[in-house]
Amino acid sequence: MNKVVVGLSGGVDSSTAAAILHAQGYEVIGLTLWLMKGKGQCCSEGMIDAAYICEQLGVPHHVVDIRDVFQTNIVDFLVTGYSAGITPLPCSQCNKTVKFGPMLQYARENLGCDRIATGHYARIQYDEATGRYQLLRAVDRNKDQSYFLYDLSQDLLSGSVFPLGEMHKADTRRIAGEQGLKTADKPESQDLCLVESNGSMRAFLDKYLAPKTGDIVDTTGKVLGQHEGVHHYTIGQRKGLGIAAAEPLYVISLDAVNNRVVVGDRTKATQPECTVGQVNWVSIAEPSSPIRAEAQVRYRSTPVPVTVIPLENSRVRIVFDEPQFSITPGQAAVWYDGEKVLGGGIIEQFN
């Protein structure tokens, strides 16, 4: 019960999480997942920094090569999604299928340990009344990552620890400095690991998807310009369209079948509801009737009042109290009751 495997990316957050647990008397084992080749926070220099942190703390360090898993579950997942005209969200997919799942499995099968810890800003508590583990927002709302963790199963939540959930980022930096950690002043990652390693999402996608010229049209079908692939665009996008108009135009839909990018004014990119699939009910069991909640449709979007209506086949319909801008198929919709994550899923379509 005193042993914990800490996922180390080589950043200050995971390093400090390991240092905190070590100082609390836990038997810490460092574990780094080798996700891809080349530059990226989780790879290359990240693995070196993770190894250094383990040396500083005097704890063992394991590196597990899961590049094939990352290629299938993240790289192929992204390429397939963008080519189909949706904008996939890789982080929640990565957390469940690439990070937490494989880490907990490795800990159980190879290290005799039932608990893993990460540097995520979120909290977990057990509700004795319902017998469920609940996922909560972090105390530091500016760093809260619960949106990306909505898809964790009860088994994964039961075996996970978030030492930074009660802390603010400034406290993390302070503790890292006090502990003399090599990563104390390491710059924060500002983007997806694939974006960092390739320079931009466009550059990453261009490695896998060939240019395919098509039309940019308005809602009447009038051709306004040309594009080199629907994968270069996302719903709500305004900049970089390369067309002139009397009023601001936004991408309102991506027609991958006909290779068209459809644009319109802001009102046409605003929707009253959406359908969400692949739903995971986190802190509560699936309800049998509609519930009230606050939903986020992007990581940095403001939570807004909604009605969540359960449907068949792990799907829900979300009806917004007020229509919302830029509802994007492929992104996650996550709904909350205050600080508690009730559930989440992938936006399939807007209505």
Side-chain angles (χ1 to χ4, degrees), residues 3-166:
K3 183 187 293 186
V4 61
V5 173
V6 182
L8 292 172
S9 66
V12 65
D13 292 332
S14 60
S15 301
T16 306
I20 289 173
L21 292 170
H22 186 259
Q24 291 175 347
Y26 284 90
E27 180 185 344
V28 170
I29 301 173
L31 175 61
T32 300
L33 303 177
W34 186 6
L35 304 180
M36 62 180 180
K37 295 180 180 179
K39 182 181 178 182
Q41 186 182 12
C42 298
C43 306
S44 301
E45 69 273 15
M47 283 195 287
I48 296 173
D49 287 343
Y52 193 95
I53 291 298
C54 288
E55 184 176 345
Q56 279 190 284
L57 297 176
V59 302
H61 181 226
H62 295 250
V63 176
V64 180
D65 185 351
I66 59 167
R67 286 176 294 170
D68 290 343
V69 176
F70 185 79
Q71 177 70 36
T72 300
N73 287 277
I74 302 303
V75 176
D76 295 348
F77 164 75
L78 280 173
V79 172
T80 300
Y82 273 99
S83 65
I86 68 172
T87 306
L89 181 70
C91 293
S92 58
Q93 170 90 348
C94 190
N95 281 330
K96 180 180 180 181
T97 65
V98 178
K99 293 181 179 177
F100 283 79
M103 279 199 300
L104 189 54
Q105 181 180 358
Y106 185 87
R108 287 170 171 170
E109 295 179 356
N110 298 280
L111 302 175
C113 181
D114 285 325
R115 281 192 294 181
I116 60 173
T118 71
H120 285 89
Y121 288 84
R123 293 176 291 156
I124 299 171
Q125 70 178 16
Y126 182 70
D127 184 355
E128 292 187 359
T130 62
R132 294 181 71 92
Y133 288 88
Q134 299 180 335
L135 177 64
L136 309 179
R137 289 190 185 276
V139 168
D140 188 343
R141 289 292 291 269
N142 289 325
K143 292 298 297 178
D144 173 48
Q145 293 171 298
S146 61
Y147 173 86
F148 294 120
L149 300 170
Y150 80 86
D151 208 21
L152 295 185
S153 66
Q154 284 290 300
D155 180 54
L156 292 176
L157 287 174
S158 71
S160 298
V161 180
F162 299 140
L164 308 186
E166 302 283 347

Side-chain angles (χ1 to χ4, degrees), residues 154-227:
Q154 284 290 300
D155 180 54
L156 292 176
L157 287 174
S158 71
S160 298
V161 180
F162 299 140
L164 308 186
E166 302 283 347
M167 297 168 49
H168 286 77
K169 181 70 178 197
D171 297 322
T172 301
R173 291 283 187 190
R174 176 182 55 79
I175 293 172
E178 291 173 352
Q179 295 289 323
L181 301 181
K182 180 179 186 293
T183 56
D185 297 318
K186 188 171 182 177
E188 188 141 2
S189 175
Q190 297 298 319
D191 221 322
L192 298 174
C193 58
L194 288 172
V195 171
E196 287 192 336
S197 63
N198 289 275
S200 68
M201 179 58 75
R202 183 182 184 118
F204 161 70
L205 292 172
D206 284 347
K207 289 171 58 176
Y208 296 90
L209 299 173
K212 187 177 180 182
T213 302
D215 294 329
I216 300 177
V217 302
D218 64 16
T219 53
T220 69
K222 179 182 177 181
V223 177
L224 303 179
Q226 300 287 304
H227 67 79

Side-chain angles (χ1 to χ4, degrees), residues 313-350:
N313 301 318
S314 299
R315 298 166 75 241
V316 302
R317 182 159 59 96
I318 294 181
V319 181
F320 303 101
D321 284 13
E322 296 182 4
Q324 296 296 303
F325 174 72
S326 186
I327 305 300
T328 307
Q331 292 290 293
V334 180
W335 45 98
Y336 295 78
D337 177 8
E339 62 182 10
K340 185 190 306 179
V341 181
L342 300 180
I346 300 299
I347 298 170
E348 294 180 339
Q349 62 185 24
F350 45 77

